[in-house]
Amino acid sequence: MSERQKNRKSGLALRILLNPEIGILIPILLVCVVTTILKPNFLTWRYISSILVGSIFIGAATLGECLVIMSGEIDLSVGYNGCLAGVVMGIAASAWGLPLAVCLLMCLAAGAAVGAVNGFCVCQLGLSSWITTLATQFICQGLAVTICQGQPLSIMSLGTSEFVREKPLGLNWLFFIFIVLILLLDILLRRTRYGYYLRSVGGNQDASIMAGINAKRVKIIAFVLAGVFAAVGGMFDVLNAGASNSVFGNGREFRAIICCAIGGISMSGGAGSSFGVALGVLLFHTLWYCLRILDVNTNLQLVLIGLILVLSVIMDVQRKRLEARKMV
C-alpha cells in the first residue's frame, strides 16, 4: 500500500472519529460493553428503557441550550428557568384550578418570558450572557422557592397520571414527545432560513451583519426558544412526579452545557446538530447511569465526567482544524 493510500485511509478514519454523530456512538458502545462485563444483566430492555426515559429531562433543556451556544452565547438559567416554569404550572393547577391546556401554556409562557428577558438584556442592553443568565438563574430559583414555600404543588387535579404511567414498549409518552422535539429542532436548524442565520451569526457575527442578517433578532429568538425548551424540561419533571418542586432543575444548566460539548456543538458557536446533541445527552446519561449501578464513588464519577468534557472540547478543536485544512 502506497504512502498516499495510507494517508487517505488515516484521514478518513480521523474524519469518521471526529464526526459528532458517529464519534459519540463509540464511547456509548464502550460504556455499555464494560458495564455488561461487570454486570452481565445490564443489556436488558429494563435497563435500556430506564436510560432512555431518564435522559429526557436534561435532554429538553439541552436542546434549548444548544441553540444559544450555536448563536455564540451561553444560557446558565435553563435549569431553574424550567423549575420556575414547572412551579407556575403547579400553582395554576393546585391553587387556581385551571384546566390542563391552560396550565401547559402558562408553563411554556413562563419559560419563554425568562428567555425573552435574557435576550433583551444581552442583545439590547449589551450585557454579558454569562452574567445575565447567571442573574436570571438566581431570580428564577428565588421565585420558585418563594412560590412553593418549600412544599410540592400537586397537579393531581389535571388527571395526567394515567398518561405518564402508560408505557408503550416500556417507554412512557414523555419520551416520544422528546423524540418529536428532536425532529422539530432538526427541521429548524437544517431546513429553515432561521437555522442558516443562527449558524451564520454564531460562526461570524460581523460578517453576518454585513450580509444583512439581523444578529440581535436571531439571538433573541434563540434565547426565547431556549426558555421554551427549558420549560418543557420543567413540564416533564412535573408530569413525571405529579407535582412541582423548587428543587427540580438544580445543576441542569451545567449538565446541558456538557451534553452540548459532547454532542459536537461548537463552544464558540456556529456549528452543531440536534441529533448530535441527542446522542450527547444519551452518552452523558448512559455513563452517569452505569456509574451509579456499578456503585462507583461519587467523586470519581465527577472526575470521569470532567475528563469526558475535556475530551469533547479537544475533539471540537481538532474538528475545526480538520475543516480549516479542507478550506485551504
Side-chain angles (χ1 to χ4, degrees):
M1 185 182 294
S2 66
E3 189 68 26
R4 186 175 180 181
Q5 288 176 321
K6 289 182 180 178
N7 290 337
R8 187 179 298 171
K9 286 191 173 182
S10 63
L12 178 62
L14 182 61
R15 284 195 295 272
I16 292 174
L17 182 62
L18 293 178
N19 182 283
E21 286 82 2
I22 298 176
I24 297 171
L25 293 174
I26 298 173
I28 290 176
L29 292 174
L30 286 175
V31 170
C32 291
V33 168
V34 172
T35 306
T36 303
I37 293 172
L38 298 175
K39 193 176 181 67
N41 66 337
F42 169 69
L43 279 183
T44 60
W45 187 246
R46 181 170 69 91
Y47 281 115
I48 295 173
S49 62
S50 296
I51 292 174
L52 293 176
V53 173
S55 65
I56 67 173
F57 306 101
I58 182 177
T62 304
L63 294 179
E65 186 70 57
C66 82
L67 291 170
V68 177
I69 294 178
M70 286 180 68
S71 74
E73 304 292 346
I74 198 77
D75 190 347
L76 300 178
S77 68
V78 291
Y80 275 109
N81 184 359
C83 175
L84 177 61
V87 168
V88 169
M89 179 178 172
I91 198 73
S94 63
W96 302 337
L98 298 176
L100 175 61
V102 177
C103 292
L104 295 178
L105 288 175
M106 289 182 65
C107 175
L108 297 177
V114 174
V117 171
N118 288 335
F120 176 80
C121 291
V122 172
C123 299
Q124 299 298 335
L125 300 183
L127 302 181
S128 164
S129 59
W130 286 88
I131 300 301
T132 298
T133 57
L134 182 62
T136 51
Q137 178 195 100
F138 289 129
I139 292 171
C140 289
Q141 181 182 10
L143 288 174
V145 173
T146 302
I147 295 172
C148 281
Q149 296 182 348
Q151 301 295 324
L153 301 172
S154 174
I155 62 162
M156 290 302 178
S157 62
L158 299 180
T160 57
S161 56
E162 291 297 326
F163 173 78
V164 176
R165 270 204 300 266
E166 288 289 338
K167 294 188 176 181
L169 302 176
L171 306 167
N172 67 30
W173 289 108
L174 297 180
F175 174 78
F176 294 102
I177 294 175
F178 177 61
I179 296 298
V180 171
L181 292 177
I182 295 173
L183 297 175
L184 290 175
L185 183 61
D186 179 66
I187 294 172
L188 176 70
L189 292 177
R190 295 202 302 169
R191 307 282 184 179
T192 67
R193 184 177 297 177
Y194 176 76
Y196 169 77
Y197 288 167
L198 182 70
R199 292 192 300 273
S200 178
V201 169
N204 192 326
Q205 180 170 315
D206 292 334
S208 299
I209 293 174
M210 291 178 64
I213 298 174
N214 190 330
K216 290 183 178 181
R217 182 186 300 169
V218 169
K219 290 189 176 185
I220 289 175
I221 293 174
F223 275 109
V224 172
L225 290 176
V228 172
F229 277 112
V232 171
M235 184 191 303
F236 285 170
D237 284 323
V238 175
L239 291 173
N240 184 65
S244 61
N245 199 309
S246 59
V247 301
F248 289 155
N250 182 24
R252 185 169 291 172
E253 60 283 343
F254 296 111
R255 285 175 283 170
I257 293 170
I258 291 173
C259 290
C260 285
I262 296 173
I265 301 296
S266 174
M267 290 294 102
S268 57
S273 72
S274 63
F275 294 126
V277 169
L279 288 172
V281 172
L282 181 60
L283 172 57
F284 178 86
H285 198 74
T286 300
L287 176 63
W288 177 79
Y289 190 88
C290 290
L291 292 175
R292 283 187 63 196
I293 66 174
L294 293 175
D295 293 324
V296 176
N297 182 276
T298 304
N299 295 322
L300 183 57
Q301 292 182 30
L302 296 175
V303 171
L304 292 173
I305 291 172
L307 289 174
I308 287 179
L309 176 59
V310 172
L311 180 61
S312 301
V313 175
I314 292 173
M315 291 183 69
D316 180 44
V317 172
Q318 293 299 323
R319 193 180 300 115
K320 286 185 176 179
R321 289 178 178 172
L322 186 64
E323 291 173 353
R325 287 198 203 112
K326 288 181 184 178
M327 297 175 64
V328 175

